[in-house]
Amino acid sequence: MTIYLNGQYMPIEDAKISVLDRGFIFGDGVYEVIPVYSRRAFRLPEHLRRLQHSLDGIKLANPHGDGEWTTIVNELVARNAAQDQYLYLHITRGAAKRDHAFPNPPVTPTVFMMSSPLLTPPAELLQNGIACITAPDNRWLRCDIKSIALLPNVLLRQMAVEAGCTETILIRPESMSGDAFLTEGAASNIFVVRNGKLLAPPKDNLMLPGITYDVILEIAAANGIPHQVRKVAVSEVFAADELLLTSSTKEVLPITQLDGKPIGDGKPGAMFARLHALYQDFKRDVMRQQSPLPPGEG
Ligand code: PDD
């Protein structure tokens, strides 16, 4: 497997970073996960825009312009074998003497990118759906930053694994003004379907603005599927006809069990079937519109 580290491409075994890297010491960095279909990065401008938002959120200058990022992405994809890949892009504030405050003057950031084969969810999951648990969302108030400091997400996701489930759905405890409400999954966004309408929590500081989430809402709008972006109360999650999970690596999945109880009739529903089919069409159309690959690489 070939990776990119600080301007060079190399086998992953040869990649080395300093133990003083602030990513290692403080989790001081941000990341992106970008799907690649048929060797073309999917929604790259949107991923780069979110990367910029995360960098702004941690006050770290972007080490590359979009053109340079695109070159690195295309080169890394070309150097790895799989047709469908997912890229993990990671930037930290670099290596410096340990001090919580930023190094002054700034040091060179560490830029790392790797590619893994992207395996879309197996048919069994699409047919039967996945089981999830709920847990209080005990993360910080800047979940819109795609921070590499993922310990809360790691612990929350592990709760699901230990319960024999796939994902943990996060519920923010009630504020003074109302009910506890849905934010997202430990590593995914969550949609609720009630009475034929798709409900999505608003993109605010309490959730990651998912690229797949945006695609789903675009598809809903383009196909006349009733949808609404608004705060979703925990009671609505448990009373859902359907629950859907989205992410760049899982696309869209039906959640058929929550905290040990069936959602709806316990089977993937009509909204899932429709959105999953439309998502596959959307992917195909977008990839077709992108410029053709050079000869021999198609
Ligand atoms: N995670 N919310 C959280 C907390 C996430 O970590 C992710 C994705 C999402 C979905 O975002 P997108 O649709 O842009 O993938 C929402 C990635 C896949 C990961 O950490 O591996």
Side-chain angles (χ1 to χ4, degrees), residues 245-268:
L245 174 153
T246 67
S247 84
S248 289
T249 48
K250 300 222 159 54
E251 300 186 341
V252 51
L253 284 179
I255 298 166
T256 46
Q257 213 189 83
L258 189 62
D259 290 342
K261 296 185 202 78
I263 290 295
D265 63 2
K267 298 199 191 77

Side-chain angles (χ1 to χ4, degrees), residues 1-3 9-15:
M1 177 168 127
T2 299
I3 66 100
Y9 299 89
M10 64 188 82
I12 192 159
E13 298 76 27
D14 295 348

Side-chain angles (χ1 to χ4, degrees), residues 135-136 138-139 151-160 168 170 186:
N138 57 9
R139 299 173 302 161
L151 190 54
N153 305 62
V154 166
L155 296 175
L156 288 162
R157 175 87 207 297
Q158 184 60 21
M159 287 171 63
T168 303
L170 307 179

Side-chain angles (χ1 to χ4, degrees), residues 9-213:
Y9 299 89
M10 64 188 82
I12 192 159
E13 298 76 27
D14 295 348
K16 302 274 182 293
I17 58 158
S18 165
V19 292
L20 286 178
D21 193 281
R22 291 176 62 93
F24 181 59
I25 298 281
F26 293 118
D28 184 0
V30 297
Y31 77 106
E32 274 297 321
V33 173
I34 307 166
V36 173
Y37 297 108
S38 304
R39 312 190 70 79
R40 296 161 171 99
F42 182 65
R43 295 231 136 182
L44 184 58
E46 288 81 359
H47 280 279
L48 293 177
R49 206 172 307 137
R50 185 172 66 184
L51 177 66
Q52 186 64 56
H53 174 82
S54 296
L55 287 166
D56 292 345
I58 70 163
K59 300 183 175 157
L60 181 58
N62 196 332
H64 298 296
D66 283 4
E68 287 168 346
W69 281 121
T70 304
T71 303
I72 299 168
V73 160
N74 289 338
E75 184 65 33
L76 191 64
V77 169
R79 287 172 187 248
N80 283 279
Q83 287 294 108
D84 293 351
Q85 308 178 14
Y86 69 93
L87 304 180
Y88 174 82
L89 186 172
H90 171 126
I91 307 170
T92 80
R93 208 179 304 276
K97 178 175 168 298
R98 184 179 180 279
D99 180 347
H100 288 63
F102 299 171
N104 189 14
V107 295
T108 309
T110 302
V111 179
F112 168 55
M113 213 188 291
M114 66 177 164
S115 165
S116 307
L118 176 61
L119 305 172
T120 43
E124 192 271 320
L125 284 192
L126 304 178
Q127 275 152 25
N128 298 326
I130 57 169
C132 293
I133 58 168
T134 57
D137 191 342
N138 57 9
R139 299 173 302 161
W140 67 336
L141 299 178
R142 288 306 307 274
C143 297
D144 56 311
I145 297 173
K146 203 160 169 60
S147 161
I148 62 168
L150 284 173
L151 190 54
N153 305 62
V154 166
L155 296 175
L156 288 162
R157 175 87 207 297
Q158 184 60 21
M159 287 171 63
V161 171
E162 288 172 11
C165 292
T166 303
E167 178 64 304
T168 303
I169 296 180
L170 307 179
I171 307 294
R172 278 277 171 190
E174 56 222 87
S175 60
M176 300 228 272
S177 55
D179 282 347
F181 57 93
L182 167 69
T183 53
E184 59 181 338
S188 57
N189 290 114
I190 304 293
F191 291 83
V192 171
V193 181
R194 290 197 79 196
N195 305 320
K197 192 192 255 188
L198 186 66
L199 301 175
K203 290 197 286 185
D204 59 14
N205 61 313
L206 300 179
M207 72 169 234
L208 186 80
I211 305 297
T212 324
Y213 164 106

